[in-house]
Amino acid sequence: MGVEGNKQTILSNDQKNTTDKKSNPKLTLLPLIALIFYEVSGGPFGVEDSVKSGGGALLSLLGFLIFPIFWSIPEALITAELATSFPENGGYVIWISSAFGPFWGFQEGFWKWFSGVMDNALYPVLFLDYLKQSLPIFDQLYARIPTLLAITILLTYLNYRGLHIVGFSAVLLASFSLLPFAVMGILSIPKIRPKRWITLDFKKVQWRGYFNSMFWNLNYWDKASTLAGEVENPSRTFPKALYGAVIVVVCSYLIPLLAGTGSLESDSSEWSDGYFAEVGFLIGGSWLKWWIQAAAAMSNLGLFEAEMSSDAFQLLGMSEIGMLPSIFASRSKYGTPTISILCSATGVIFLSWMSFQEILEFLNFLYAIGMLFEFAAFIKLRLKKPDLHRPYKVPLKTFGATMLCVPPATLLVLVMCLASLRTFLVTGGVVALGFCLYPFIIHAKNKNWAHFVSIDDVKLNDCDVEDDENVMRHVADEAGVRLLSDSSSSSSMEKVSEILPEGGENL
């Protein structure tokens, strides 16, 4: 009787979720390009450090020409294949779970969520770094801390109002943020001296800062995969969006750097966070400086919104496969995961007191660990599940796919080796915390301390499951057997119930 009542409640809630999803529009191509752009870049704000740490213009320009070939393009291709094979919220958590089991899927989710929250804590800081150049009061703690809190609360509310609003806003914000740099590029042409592009002072090169700057400004191509369940026709939309975003991101870095370093004689030590506003002043005047500062503010808004959306929907996806309590999958009337958004916002508030460079190095290290697992999952799924339905497939055989992962994996290891002792200690603590959280969640599930998605909820073909950890393993592993339905009207329960068992009929 109790079980039947529980099932009726689940059906009722699932029908409500289906109605909510129908009433909330899916992401289409242009908004998805804008969101990926903001996940990865958001414009040239923050790339100034690459000139300073690179000892001049040459290494900075070469970095943004070469790194995309060895890092951005491979990561985008791998993301396109895996995101279209598993078009569900949760993204890389499902990839890793399917390849290596739920324990490592949970660890991947925890590392990437934590690094994402750390990344999001940068944007209010960057916003105030630009603003304080014209309004020095924001360099004082009594003004800085309340402002950081106010920004976080406001942007969290906007995220709560709906993903389609975030996507549409991202298109407008990207256009506004990039336009002043296009103008700056045109105005700089008469002043450009190509010999300035090859300036390099090896004595000033700071390799740790340089590689961290490059890595941070060109990573997170996989983040949008956590929104795959909210994308209209993901098998077609995702690859196109990733290709478009690669072009936009690379151009958004190279054009301002070519204009600024080629037209000015400024020393590399002057290039720090917020310096593009001064570059705009020297090239076009005070009006261009103010425009760039306004663009920086708008860009950081877009960066924050895109990152929080991905982090929140990742928690929602983990909840839908039983890795987190089901409360994380609860949606507002706008279709957004309320508790997941609040959880991410709380993390941002607690981390925003740290300095830019501290946050940058910590999140890069955690992100690097997660990406190494994603590359390994990409290769293992090619071997373990060659018949997995892949609407988009990287046009390489298994050996070629493996070789595709070698350059970015080498870069990841290099970034990790250059990390400071403090970074090793902090990230080691985060990893240890993740190892402890998993058995705690299994214990909480066994003790019924919270409601989790269970085998009764999803009706997984009446499969026999021995314990709760096996439920998580079964749900996560079976997610890799076939391409889940793209239908926007399918509920989570219907999608999971359609999954075929390992010994089932051929796909």
Side-chain angles (χ1 to χ4, degrees):
M1 183 72 177
V3 173
E4 289 299 320
N6 186 45
K7 289 182 178 180
Q8 291 298 322
T9 301
I10 291 166
L11 285 171
S12 177
N13 290 337
D14 207 54
Q15 289 168 354
K16 181 178 183 296
N17 286 340
T18 301
T19 303
D20 289 343
K21 288 181 181 180
K22 284 182 178 179
S23 64
N24 289 284
K26 295 279 189 175
L27 285 173
T28 53
L29 179 61
L30 193 58
L32 184 57
I33 290 176
L35 282 174
I36 295 173
F37 167 72
Y38 273 118
E39 295 284 4
V40 177
S41 168
F45 313 105
V47 305
E48 299 98 329
D49 273 339
S50 67
V51 179
K52 181 179 181 179
S53 59
L58 181 61
L59 286 182
S60 178
L61 293 171
L62 287 176
F64 287 113
L65 281 170
I66 297 173
F67 274 67
I69 297 173
F70 293 101
W71 170 253
S72 299
I73 293 176
E75 188 183 359
L77 289 172
I78 291 168
T79 298
E81 177 171 318
L82 293 175
T84 55
S85 300
F86 303 93
E88 292 294 299
N89 296 325
Y92 36 73
V93 176
I94 299 176
W95 313 343
I96 302 298
S97 297
S98 183
F100 301 113
F103 175 81
W104 291 112
F106 178 85
Q107 302 309 317
E108 172 80 4
F110 181 67
W111 299 334
K112 297 299 281 288
W113 176 81
F114 202 93
S115 69
V117 171
M118 293 182 79
D119 185 55
N120 225 10
L122 287 173
Y123 303 128
V125 173
L126 278 175
F127 167 71
L128 291 184
D129 283 346
Y130 269 87
L131 205 59
K132 73 183 183 183
Q133 293 193 29
S134 298
L135 301 171
I137 189 175
F138 289 110
D139 202 22
Q140 305 298 320
L141 287 179
Y142 68 85
R144 190 176 184 87
I145 292 176
T147 305
L148 286 173
L149 288 173
I151 293 170
T152 301
I153 293 170
L154 173 62
L155 297 183
T156 299
Y157 175 72
L158 290 176
N159 206 282
Y160 162 78
R161 288 300 302 269
L163 186 59
H164 64 289
I165 293 177
V166 172
F168 178 73
S169 300
V171 174
L172 297 179
L173 291 169
S175 302
F176 179 79
S177 299
L178 294 178
L179 189 55
F181 292 101
V183 173
M184 187 175 77
I186 294 172
L187 294 177
S188 69
I189 293 175
K191 303 178 181 180
I192 286 177
R193 301 295 180 267
K195 66 179 182 180
R196 294 171 181 159
W197 291 334
I198 59 174
T199 56
L200 175 61
D201 186 349
F202 270 110
K203 295 179 181 179
K204 294 182 178 180
V205 176
Q206 303 166 19
W207 291 110
R208 182 192 298 169
Y210 173 75
F211 279 106
N212 272 307
S213 179
M214 286 290 150
F215 186 59
W216 178 63
N217 283 292
L218 290 167
N219 65 14
Y220 282 95
W221 295 96
D222 60 329
K223 287 295 287 187
S225 68
T226 62
L227 305 171
E230 312 302 311
V231 175
E232 183 176 312
N233 194 3
S235 61
R236 292 179 178 271
T237 305
F238 245 98
K240 293 179 181 178
L242 284 163
Y243 290 145
V246 168
I247 295 171
V248 174
V249 167
V250 174
C251 290
S252 73
Y253 290 153
L254 284 176
I255 291 175
L257 283 172
L258 287 168
T261 59
S263 60
L264 302 178
E265 286 283 5
S266 55
D267 188 84
S268 63
S269 61
E270 298 179 23
W271 286 77
S272 58
D273 299 332
Y275 187 66
F276 267 125
E278 184 65 20
V279 173
F281 174 75
L282 295 173
I283 291 176
S286 58
W287 64 273
L288 187 54
K289 175 182 178 179
W290 280 98
W291 192 3
I292 289 174
Q293 288 180 330
M298 296 298 101
S299 177
N300 280 286
L301 189 154
L303 286 161
F304 188 102
E305 294 293 87
E307 181 65 59
M308 178 166 282
S309 293
S310 292
D311 293 340
F313 277 95
Q314 177 198 313
L315 296 182
L316 179 146
M318 293 175 71
S319 177
E320 288 179 339
I321 60 173
M323 284 189 175
L324 292 175
S326 58
I327 191 172
F328 286 94
S330 62
R331 295 183 184 240
S332 69
K333 62 181 179 180
Y334 305 107
T336 49
T338 309
I339 301 300
S340 297
I341 288 174
L342 290 175
C343 187
S344 296
T346 302
V348 169
I349 292 172
F350 276 106
L351 292 170
S352 58
W353 59 269
M354 299 171 67
S355 72
F356 179 89
Q357 287 299 330
E358 285 177 327
I359 295 175
L360 184 62
E361 191 169 319
F362 294 158
L363 72 89
N364 278 348
F365 197 96
L366 279 175
Y367 184 82
I369 299 174
M371 280 307 307
L372 287 173
F373 268 88
E374 288 181 33
F375 291 148
F378 170 67
I379 296 169
K380 185 169 183 178
L381 288 171
R382 281 289 190 99
L383 296 170
K384 178 183 176 183
K385 297 180 179 179
D387 297 327
L388 175 67
H389 180 50
R390 295 173 170 89
Y392 173 84
K393 185 175 182 179
V394 178
L396 295 170
K397 298 293 185 181
T398 303
F399 177 77
T402 303
M403 291 299 100
L404 180 69
C405 297
V406 172
T410 303
L411 175 61
L412 290 170
V413 173
L414 177 60
V415 169
M416 294 171 70
C417 290
L418 291 172
S420 65
L421 177 60
R422 184 180 183 185
T423 297
F424 276 100
L425 294 175
V426 171
T427 53
V430 173
V431 171
L433 179 59
F435 285 177
C436 295
L437 276 177
Y438 183 80
F440 174 79
I441 288 177
I442 294 296
H443 185 69
K445 189 171 185 179
N446 290 333
K447 294 293 184 180
N448 293 320
W449 291 348
H451 179 263
F452 287 76
V453 173
S454 69
I455 191 129
D456 288 327
D457 298 339
V458 296
K459 298 181 179 179
L460 257 175
N461 297 312
D462 298 325
C463 295
D464 292 326
V465 182
E466 296 178 0
D467 54 46
D468 285 295
E469 182 171 2
N470 284 336
V471 172
M472 292 170 65
R473 180 178 299 280
H474 189 80
V475 173
D477 189 60
E478 289 301 309
V481 176
R482 57 163 290 187
L483 175 69
L484 298 176
S485 172
D486 285 347
S487 173
S488 61
S489 63
S490 295
S491 68
S492 299
M493 183 181 69
E494 291 169 337
K495 288 179 181 178
V496 180
S497 67
E498 290 172 0
I499 297 172
L500 298 178
E502 288 284 348
E505 58 186 271
N506 295 330
L507 297 171

